[in-house]
Amino acid sequence: MRVQLKTLLLGALLGCSTALYAGTIAPGDVKIEGLAIADSLTGVAGDAAEGRKIFANRKQGNCLACHANSEMSEHLFHGGVGPSLDGAGARWQPEMLRTIVVNAKAVFTEETVMPGFYSLEVGENVREDLIGKTILTAQQVEDVVAYLATLK
Ligand code: HEC
């Protein structure tokens, strides 16, 4: 069941990646130190308003599929697979939020159902045209992290 959920979500999500910006750290080159990714993946600050849209967008972050978020009460369906993200910006430093979004396995366990949004380690049976792509672009990750940091 877990595997099926993962496969479904990845199939739905992986379609919409990956424009690379100049100066962007490639997914394989991201350095995680002590669970933190210290610097912006693009060198550009995230845009929280943009991140809020990506969070809710069913074809991008689709975070609401698994997480409740009271700040988004205009959206009807919030999933309960992961914890509520109320207060996530108070629980985690931005450098840790960045790691969670880039590759949740690095912070939680290998078995987490949360996808790595900027990782190429997405498991087996990935559609051939999607190999080497990430779910979000580096700047979209930065935007989502900027948004999460506002959830205090
Ligand atoms: C398929 C379900 C799923 C999706 C989609 C998902 N997550 Fe998660 N997330 C989880 C689970 C489950 C956990 C808890 C860690 C664990 O047990 O694996 C988690 C944990 C987290 C945490 C830490 C929670 C806390 O407050 O301690 C954050 C932050 C987070 N997710 C952000 C996001 C964001 C942002 C997105 C969208 C870009 C997202 N998640 C998409 C399942 C998901």
Side-chain angles (χ1 to χ4, degrees), residues 67-99:
H67 292 284
N69 176 5
S70 313
E71 195 278 311
M72 280 190 180
S73 53
E74 79 270 28
H75 294 279
L76 285 181
F77 301 106
H78 295 209
V81 178
S84 161
L85 294 185
D86 292 4
R91 281 193 295 282
W92 301 92
Q93 297 296 315
E95 295 78 11
M96 301 279 288
L97 289 170
R98 184 177 290 115
T99 312

Short mmCIF file of all heavy atoms in Angstrom, two decimals, residues 67-99:
data_model
loop_
_atom_site.label_atom_id
_atom_site.label_comp_id
_atom_site.label_asym_id
_atom_site.label_seq_id
_atom_site.Cartn_x
_atom_site.Cartn_y
_atom_site.Cartn_z
N HIS A 67 -0.58 16.65 4.26
CA HIS A 67 -0.45 17.50 5.46
C HIS A 67 -1.62 18.45 5.61
O HIS A 67 -2.00 19.12 4.64
CB HIS A 67 0.80 18.37 5.35
CG HIS A 67 2.09 17.63 5.40
ND1 HIS A 67 2.62 17.13 6.56
CD2 HIS A 67 2.97 17.30 4.42
CE1 HIS A 67 3.77 16.53 6.32
NE2 HIS A 67 4.01 16.62 5.02
N ALA A 68 -2.14 18.56 6.82
CA ALA A 68 -3.07 19.63 7.13
C ALA A 68 -2.28 20.92 7.37
O ALA A 68 -1.11 20.89 7.76
CB ALA A 68 -3.88 19.28 8.37
N ASN A 69 -2.93 22.04 7.10
CA ASN A 69 -2.29 23.35 7.28
C ASN A 69 -3.40 24.36 7.51
O ASN A 69 -4.08 24.78 6.57
CB ASN A 69 -1.48 23.67 6.02
CG ASN A 69 -0.86 25.05 6.06
OD1 ASN A 69 -0.93 25.74 7.08
ND2 ASN A 69 -0.24 25.44 4.96
N SER A 70 -3.61 24.76 8.77
CA SER A 70 -4.74 25.64 9.11
C SER A 70 -4.70 26.96 8.37
O SER A 70 -5.74 27.59 8.16
CB SER A 70 -4.76 25.98 10.60
OG SER A 70 -4.58 24.85 11.36
N GLU A 71 -3.50 27.39 8.02
CA GLU A 71 -3.35 28.68 7.34
C GLU A 71 -3.99 28.62 5.93
O GLU A 71 -4.20 29.65 5.32
CB GLU A 71 -1.85 29.01 7.30
CG GLU A 71 -1.48 30.43 6.96
CD GLU A 71 -1.50 30.69 5.47
OE1 GLU A 71 -0.92 29.90 4.70
OE2 GLU A 71 -2.12 31.70 5.06
N MET A 72 -4.29 27.43 5.44
CA MET A 72 -4.88 27.27 4.10
C MET A 72 -6.31 26.81 4.17
O MET A 72 -6.72 25.88 3.47
CB MET A 72 -4.08 26.24 3.30
CG MET A 72 -2.85 26.84 2.73
SD MET A 72 -2.06 25.77 1.58
CE MET A 72 -0.69 26.87 1.19
N SER A 73 -7.09 27.45 5.03
CA SER A 73 -8.45 26.98 5.23
C SER A 73 -9.32 27.17 3.99
O SER A 73 -10.40 26.61 3.90
CB SER A 73 -9.07 27.68 6.44
OG SER A 73 -8.95 29.07 6.27
N GLU A 74 -8.84 27.96 3.01
CA GLU A 74 -9.64 28.11 1.78
C GLU A 74 -9.64 26.83 0.94
O GLU A 74 -10.47 26.66 0.07
CB GLU A 74 -9.17 29.32 0.96
CG GLU A 74 -7.91 29.13 0.12
CD GLU A 74 -6.61 29.48 0.84
OE1 GLU A 74 -6.55 29.36 2.09
OE2 GLU A 74 -5.64 29.85 0.16
N HIS A 75 -8.70 25.93 1.21
CA HIS A 75 -8.67 24.65 0.51
C HIS A 75 -9.39 23.61 1.34
O HIS A 75 -9.15 23.49 2.54
CB HIS A 75 -7.23 24.21 0.24
CG HIS A 75 -6.51 25.11 -0.71
ND1 HIS A 75 -6.65 25.01 -2.07
CD2 HIS A 75 -5.67 26.14 -0.50
CE1 HIS A 75 -5.92 25.94 -2.65
NE2 HIS A 75 -5.30 26.65 -1.72
N LEU A 76 -10.25 22.82 0.69
CA LEU A 76 -11.13 21.94 1.46
C LEU A 76 -10.45 20.68 1.98
O LEU A 76 -10.64 20.29 3.11
CB LEU A 76 -12.33 21.52 0.60
CG LEU A 76 -13.39 22.60 0.42
CD1 LEU A 76 -14.52 22.06 -0.44
CD2 LEU A 76 -13.92 23.05 1.77
N PHE A 77 -9.67 20.02 1.15
CA PHE A 77 -9.20 18.69 1.53
C PHE A 77 -7.74 18.72 1.97
O PHE A 77 -6.86 19.00 1.18
CB PHE A 77 -9.40 17.71 0.38
CG PHE A 77 -10.84 17.62 -0.02
CD1 PHE A 77 -11.30 18.20 -1.18
CD2 PHE A 77 -11.76 16.99 0.83
CE1 PHE A 77 -12.64 18.14 -1.54
CE2 PHE A 77 -13.10 16.93 0.48
CZ PHE A 77 -13.54 17.51 -0.70
N HIS A 78 -7.52 18.42 3.23
CA HIS A 78 -6.16 18.35 3.76
C HIS A 78 -5.91 16.90 4.18
O HIS A 78 -6.71 16.33 4.93
CB HIS A 78 -6.00 19.24 5.00
CG HIS A 78 -6.16 20.71 4.71
ND1 HIS A 78 -5.52 21.68 5.47
CD2 HIS A 78 -6.85 21.38 3.77
CE1 HIS A 78 -5.84 22.88 5.00
NE2 HIS A 78 -6.65 22.73 3.97
N GLY A 79 -4.81 16.34 3.73
CA GLY A 79 -4.52 14.95 4.07
C GLY A 79 -4.02 14.79 5.49
O GLY A 79 -3.63 15.77 6.14
N GLY A 80 -4.04 13.54 5.96
CA GLY A 80 -3.58 13.26 7.32
C GLY A 80 -2.49 12.20 7.34
O GLY A 80 -2.26 11.57 8.36
N VAL A 81 -1.78 12.03 6.22
CA VAL A 81 -0.71 11.02 6.17
C VAL A 81 0.49 11.50 7.00
O VAL A 81 1.09 10.75 7.75
CB VAL A 81 -0.26 10.77 4.71
CG1 VAL A 81 0.88 9.78 4.66
CG2 VAL A 81 -1.44 10.27 3.88
N GLY A 82 0.83 12.76 6.85
CA GLY A 82 1.92 13.35 7.63
C GLY A 82 1.33 14.25 8.72
O GLY A 82 0.12 14.45 8.78
N PRO A 83 2.20 14.80 9.57
CA PRO A 83 1.73 15.68 10.64
C PRO A 83 1.22 17.01 10.10
O PRO A 83 1.59 17.43 9.01
CB PRO A 83 2.97 15.89 11.51
CG PRO A 83 4.14 15.57 10.63
CD PRO A 83 3.66 14.59 9.61
N SER A 84 0.37 17.67 10.88
CA SER A 84 -0.05 19.03 10.53
C SER A 84 1.19 19.92 10.47
O SER A 84 2.10 19.78 11.28
CB SER A 84 -1.01 19.56 11.60
OG SER A 84 -1.07 20.98 11.51
N LEU A 85 1.20 20.84 9.52
CA LEU A 85 2.37 21.72 9.40
C LEU A 85 2.16 23.04 10.14
O LEU A 85 2.98 23.95 10.01
CB LEU A 85 2.73 21.94 7.93
CG LEU A 85 3.21 20.66 7.23
CD1 LEU A 85 3.66 20.95 5.81
CD2 LEU A 85 4.33 19.97 8.01
N ASP A 86 1.10 23.13 10.92
CA ASP A 86 0.95 24.32 11.77
C ASP A 86 2.19 24.44 12.65
O ASP A 86 2.60 23.48 13.30
CB ASP A 86 -0.27 24.19 12.68
CG ASP A 86 -1.58 24.22 11.90
OD1 ASP A 86 -1.54 24.28 10.66
OD2 ASP A 86 -2.64 24.21 12.55
N GLY A 87 2.80 25.59 12.65
CA GLY A 87 3.97 25.80 13.52
C GLY A 87 5.26 25.21 13.02
O GLY A 87 6.28 25.23 13.72
N ALA A 88 5.26 24.66 11.78
CA ALA A 88 6.49 24.02 11.27
C ALA A 88 7.66 25.01 11.23
O ALA A 88 8.81 24.63 11.47
CB ALA A 88 6.25 23.42 9.89
N GLY A 89 7.36 26.28 10.95
CA GLY A 89 8.43 27.28 10.89
C GLY A 89 9.00 27.61 12.25
O GLY A 89 10.08 28.21 12.35
N ALA A 90 8.30 27.26 13.30
CA ALA A 90 8.82 27.46 14.66
C ALA A 90 9.58 26.22 15.13
O ALA A 90 10.51 26.31 15.92
CB ALA A 90 7.68 27.77 15.62
N ARG A 91 9.18 25.04 14.61
CA ARG A 91 9.84 23.80 15.03
C ARG A 91 11.17 23.59 14.35
O ARG A 91 12.06 22.95 14.88
CB ARG A 91 8.95 22.59 14.71
CG ARG A 91 7.82 22.37 15.68
CD ARG A 91 7.17 20.99 15.49
NE ARG A 91 6.50 20.81 14.21
CZ ARG A 91 5.30 21.29 13.92
NH1 ARG A 91 4.65 22.01 14.82
NH2 ARG A 91 4.74 21.07 12.75
N TRP A 92 11.30 24.07 13.10
CA TRP A 92 12.48 23.76 12.29
C TRP A 92 13.14 25.04 11.80
O TRP A 92 12.46 25.97 11.37
CB TRP A 92 12.09 22.94 11.06
CG TRP A 92 11.42 21.63 11.33
CD1 TRP A 92 10.06 21.41 11.41
CD2 TRP A 92 12.03 20.36 11.52
NE1 TRP A 92 9.82 20.09 11.64
CE2 TRP A 92 11.00 19.41 11.72
CE3 TRP A 92 13.37 19.93 11.55
CZ2 TRP A 92 11.26 18.06 11.93
CZ3 TRP A 92 13.61 18.57 11.76
CH2 TRP A 92 12.57 17.66 11.94
N GLN A 93 14.47 25.04 11.82
CA GLN A 93 15.23 26.11 11.17
C GLN A 93 15.03 26.01 9.65
O GLN A 93 14.86 24.89 9.14
CB GLN A 93 16.73 25.95 11.45
CG GLN A 93 17.10 26.06 12.92
CD GLN A 93 16.81 27.45 13.45
OE1 GLN A 93 17.13 28.44 12.81
NE2 GLN A 93 16.16 27.51 14.60
N PRO A 94 15.13 27.13 8.94
CA PRO A 94 14.98 27.07 7.47
C PRO A 94 15.95 26.09 6.81
O PRO A 94 15.58 25.42 5.83
CB PRO A 94 15.31 28.51 7.03
CG PRO A 94 15.04 29.35 8.23
CD PRO A 94 15.28 28.49 9.45
N GLU A 95 17.16 25.97 7.37
CA GLU A 95 18.16 25.06 6.77
C GLU A 95 17.70 23.60 6.86
O GLU A 95 18.07 22.77 6.02
CB GLU A 95 19.51 25.20 7.48
CG GLU A 95 20.18 26.56 7.31
CD GLU A 95 19.58 27.66 8.21
OE1 GLU A 95 18.78 27.34 9.12
OE2 GLU A 95 19.91 28.83 7.97
N MET A 96 16.91 23.30 7.92
CA MET A 96 16.38 21.94 8.09
C MET A 96 15.14 21.75 7.22
O MET A 96 14.93 20.68 6.63
CB MET A 96 15.99 21.69 9.54
CG MET A 96 17.13 21.85 10.51
SD MET A 96 18.13 20.37 10.55
CE MET A 96 17.01 19.27 11.41
N LEU A 97 14.33 22.79 7.12
CA LEU A 97 13.15 22.71 6.25
C LEU A 97 13.60 22.44 4.82
O LEU A 97 12.98 21.68 4.08
CB LEU A 97 12.34 24.01 6.32
CG LEU A 97 11.59 24.25 7.64
CD1 LEU A 97 11.04 25.67 7.68
CD2 LEU A 97 10.46 23.23 7.84
N ARG A 98 14.72 23.09 4.45
CA ARG A 98 15.23 22.88 3.09
C ARG A 98 15.58 21.40 2.89
O ARG A 98 15.25 20.82 1.86
CB ARG A 98 16.45 23.79 2.86
CG ARG A 98 17.01 23.73 1.44
CD ARG A 98 18.16 24.70 1.22
NE ARG A 98 17.71 26.09 1.21
CZ ARG A 98 18.07 27.01 2.12
NH1 ARG A 98 18.89 26.71 3.09
NH2 ARG A 98 17.61 28.24 2.02
N THR A 99 16.21 20.79 3.87
CA THR A 99 16.57 19.36 3.73
C THR A 99 15.32 18.51 3.66
O THR A 99 15.25 17.57 2.86
CB THR A 99 17.44 18.89 4.92
OG1 THR A 99 18.48 19.83 5.13
CG2 THR A 99 18.04 17.52 4.63
#
